[in-house]
Amino acid sequence: MESSVYISSEQIQVVGHQGGTIRRFVTHPLPEGTMINGTITDQAFLTECLASLRAEHPALFKKPSLVVDGSAILVKRIPAPKLNGKQYRQLVRDDFAEAGENTDELVCGYQLLPGGKALLACGAGKNLVDSYLSAFKSAGVKLSSIRIGTQAILSYVDSRPDLQKRSFVLNVIDGVTMLSLIFENGVNVFISRTRLYGDTKEQTAQTVMENLNGLVQFNRSQKFGEVTDSFYLGVSPADLRLLEALNPHVNIKLAVLDIFQDVRGGEQLPPNAHFAYLSALLGKSHIDLTVSRKELENHRKRRTKTRRIWIPFSILYVILLALPIGWFYYQGTLTDKEIAALNEALSEPAAVEKESELTALETETAGLRRVINEERLKLEYEGSLAALSPQLIDLFLGGSGITVESLSYTRESGTVRIGGFGASEDAPANFSEALRSSPLVLSVDYTGYSEGNKFNWNVVLAASGVDGDE
């Protein structure tokens, strides 16, 4: 009889099976804090519980298979061309390395997904895998394999034809954590994990619904197929009714995914036995972390051997680099000696006296250049300033029905501001037109009348409208 073992944060579960028939199902409680989210936190307690369970049911521990799940187990889908096994393993390592993982300490495995265009890649810390192997070994148990819970779920979904054309969310609740997978037409497109909070079932259920809201929004943002169902594993019928009461999505049906519908045998499996049972359904084509752990050791040995081979080549390379560096260092030494001799010659009294004379001459020359430059700038500035010509005075004061009351001229900008009264209603407009038609004027801004029925003009002069006297 074969057996499948799963260790949750609350208990050890063992499913004994043979030829697709469930023969035994046993559990053993775990002290609180022994396991946290798939990671062993108290190996001594776990070993003690495994040993006790083995003593009670030795037939289930001849060579069991362990299934693991938790946030420390990295699982992702990787697009991949057709490669050989070694290339697939390297592709997985490179992908995890790009995500910031230290692949020298990561046990990596993969499985080619149906269609042959993508991989299900898995990564787990070497210490995590070793802690499981050590705990079982200390309890007198040798594991035949270590399987991945997420892979067991994906494999089960692939075996269900009724799920292949549907877009849905599958939520696996395991204690205070929940694994959520989005499927589009039966193909997994997203995986996430959520910590469930709440002191009561109602609060925990509310957290589950909030997570569904986030998944639906993400699904729409990625333009995946609209979610029609949200399936759950690890919940009782009463839990499902509570979730249905809190469901805000009228178009999404909530249901327990009945994975135990085809169970053969006399054992009645509880809702939370999903990982142990689905692992028993896995065929021979699955990720095995015990095999991947050995492959990691071989990978590290190959890298160490490669580094050793490169040691003499590295030394030779350093020597080849040192030759030109030594030559340039020798040439630099000669140059330093020439510079020292030149500095000594420049330090002689005659050279110092000549340098002082040159410095004084440079200072005097710089002063003269500064005076010349300032005078040139002054002349350019004064030449750029314009003054009113007699013709402009006549133009402004010569009539056109306007009595000029004020006239101000800004030389820097070449503008004239005029204020006055009009003899008639048309006089201001006629005066503006007369100004615009004069070749002495570049532009006219007629601002209209202001307080007291006064009229104002801003006039920009043309070059021909000014001369050297104001």
Side-chain angles (χ1 to χ4, degrees):
M1 181 171 58
E2 298 178 89
S3 61
S4 173
V5 181
Y6 177 67
I7 307 173
S8 71
S9 58
E10 299 169 345
Q11 61 181 205
I12 302 171
Q13 301 173 345
V14 186
V15 172
H17 56 96
Q18 185 175 17
T21 302
I22 303 302
R23 299 295 186 186
R24 298 288 301 278
F25 176 71
V26 298
T27 64
H28 191 288
L30 285 177
E32 185 177 355
T34 303
M35 295 284 297
I36 297 179
N37 200 15
T39 301
I40 302 173
T41 53
D42 195 324
Q43 187 165 315
F45 272 138
L46 178 59
T47 299
E48 182 180 338
C49 293
L50 285 171
S52 175
L53 197 57
R54 172 178 173 269
E56 295 177 12
H57 308 280
L60 295 177
F61 286 88
K62 290 182 178 180
K63 208 172 181 183
S65 173
L66 174 68
V67 57
V68 295
D69 186 75
S71 58
I73 311 295
L74 308 175
V75 179
K76 64 189 302 187
R77 178 189 176 95
I78 302 176
K82 189 173 182 179
L83 303 169
N84 58 38
K86 183 178 180 180
Q87 291 170 326
Y88 280 136
R89 286 192 293 270
Q90 189 59 48
L91 178 66
V92 171
R93 292 190 184 282
D94 292 343
D95 192 88
F96 281 124
E98 290 176 3
E101 301 292 337
N102 180 8
T103 55
D104 283 343
E105 297 294 325
L106 198 66
V107 177
C108 297
Y110 75 92
Q111 181 194 29
L112 196 61
L113 294 175
K117 296 182 179 180
L119 300 176
L120 178 67
C122 167
K126 178 176 69 68
N127 292 337
L128 178 72
V129 177
D130 289 346
S131 67
Y132 277 111
L133 293 173
S134 176
F136 276 82
K137 183 178 180 180
S138 299
V141 179
K142 182 178 181 181
L143 291 172
S144 63
S145 64
I146 300 179
R147 301 174 177 181
I148 306 300
T150 305
Q151 183 185 15
I153 293 171
L154 295 176
S155 178
Y156 177 77
V157 172
D158 287 340
S159 70
R160 290 277 298 265
D162 58 316
L163 298 177
Q164 298 310 300
K165 300 299 181 182
R166 300 166 74 172
S167 295
F168 60 92
V169 177
L170 176 55
N171 303 282
V172 184
I173 297 178
D174 185 21
V176 296
T177 62
M178 180 169 66
L179 170 66
S180 299
L181 304 95
I182 298 178
F183 291 85
E184 183 182 33
N185 295 326
V187 177
N188 175 241
V189 293
F190 182 71
I191 300 174
S192 70
R193 293 184 185 274
T194 306
R195 168 86 175 175
L196 301 179
Y197 295 96
D199 297 327
T200 64
K201 283 192 174 183
E202 290 76 10
Q203 292 173 337
T204 302
Q206 187 62 48
T207 304
V208 173
M209 282 297 100
E210 290 173 359
N211 181 69
L212 179 59
N213 294 338
L215 292 174
V216 170
Q217 293 299 324
F218 171 81
N219 193 67
R220 289 172 179 170
S221 70
Q222 300 299 310
K223 295 182 171 45
F224 295 141
E226 195 69 19
V227 172
T228 59
D229 301 90
S230 181
F231 295 111
Y232 294 87
L233 290 177
V235 298
S236 65
D239 295 332
L240 181 64
R241 287 193 294 271
L242 178 58
L243 293 174
E244 289 175 329
L246 297 174
N247 181 21
H249 304 283
V250 295
N251 297 324
I252 299 179
K253 180 182 177 182
L254 307 189
V256 174
L257 187 64
D258 188 5
I259 63 174
F260 305 120
Q261 59 183 349
D262 297 325
V263 171
R264 290 181 296 167
E267 289 290 340
Q268 183 70 29
L269 298 178
N272 65 350
H274 40 267
F275 280 127
Y277 172 67
L278 293 177
S279 174
L281 300 183
L282 274 175
K284 296 188 179 298
S285 178
H286 60 79
I287 298 172
D288 184 354
L289 292 183
T290 61
V291 175
S292 300
R293 177 65 182 88
K294 295 176 182 177
E295 195 280 326
L296 173 64
E297 203 60 37
N298 293 332
H299 170 74
R300 296 172 66 170
K301 288 178 180 178
R302 287 194 300 269
R303 291 196 59 177
T304 302
K305 183 178 179 181
T306 302
R307 284 195 293 266
R308 288 175 180 173
I309 292 175
W310 273 100
I311 289 176
F313 290 100
S314 300
I315 295 174
L316 179 60
Y317 180 69
V318 170
I319 293 174
L320 292 176
L321 285 178
L323 289 176
I325 294 174
W327 167 256
F328 285 118
Y329 178 77
Y330 173 71
Q331 294 295 323
T333 303
L334 295 179
T335 303
D336 289 341
K337 291 180 179 180
E338 294 178 358
I339 292 173
L342 182 59
N343 287 333
E344 185 179 353
L346 292 175
S347 301
E348 294 180 355
V352 173
E353 183 180 355
K354 181 60 69 178
E355 183 181 2
S356 300
E357 292 177 2
L358 291 173
T359 302
L361 184 59
E362 287 178 356
T363 302
E364 184 179 357
T365 302
L368 292 173
R369 286 177 178 170
R370 186 168 56 256
V371 172
I372 293 172
N373 188 52
E374 290 175 353
E375 185 64 24
R376 177 180 60 78
L377 292 175
K378 179 180 178 183
L379 292 175
E380 289 178 355
Y381 174 72
E382 291 180 349
S384 65
L385 299 178
L388 295 179
S389 65
Q391 292 87 347
L392 273 174
I393 299 299
D394 292 339
L395 177 63
F396 295 153
L397 304 178
S400 298
I402 292 297
T403 300
V404 176
E405 186 182 53
S406 63
L407 187 148
S408 61
Y409 170 49
T410 304
R411 294 183 66 187
E412 290 79 1
S413 60
T415 59
V416 178
R417 180 174 177 80
I418 303 171
F421 298 91
S424 64
E425 292 182 0
D426 299 332
N430 294 336
F431 183 58
S432 298
E433 191 60 34
L435 294 176
R436 291 191 182 95
S437 62
S438 173
L440 306 177
V441 175
L442 182 62
S443 65
V444 177
D445 179 20
Y446 173 42
T447 61
Y449 66 89
S450 60
E451 185 179 355
N453 203 28
K454 295 181 181 180
F455 296 90
N456 298 294
W457 293 266
N458 290 326
V459 181
V460 180
L461 302 182
S464 57
V466 296
D467 57 25
D469 298 321
E470 186 173 345

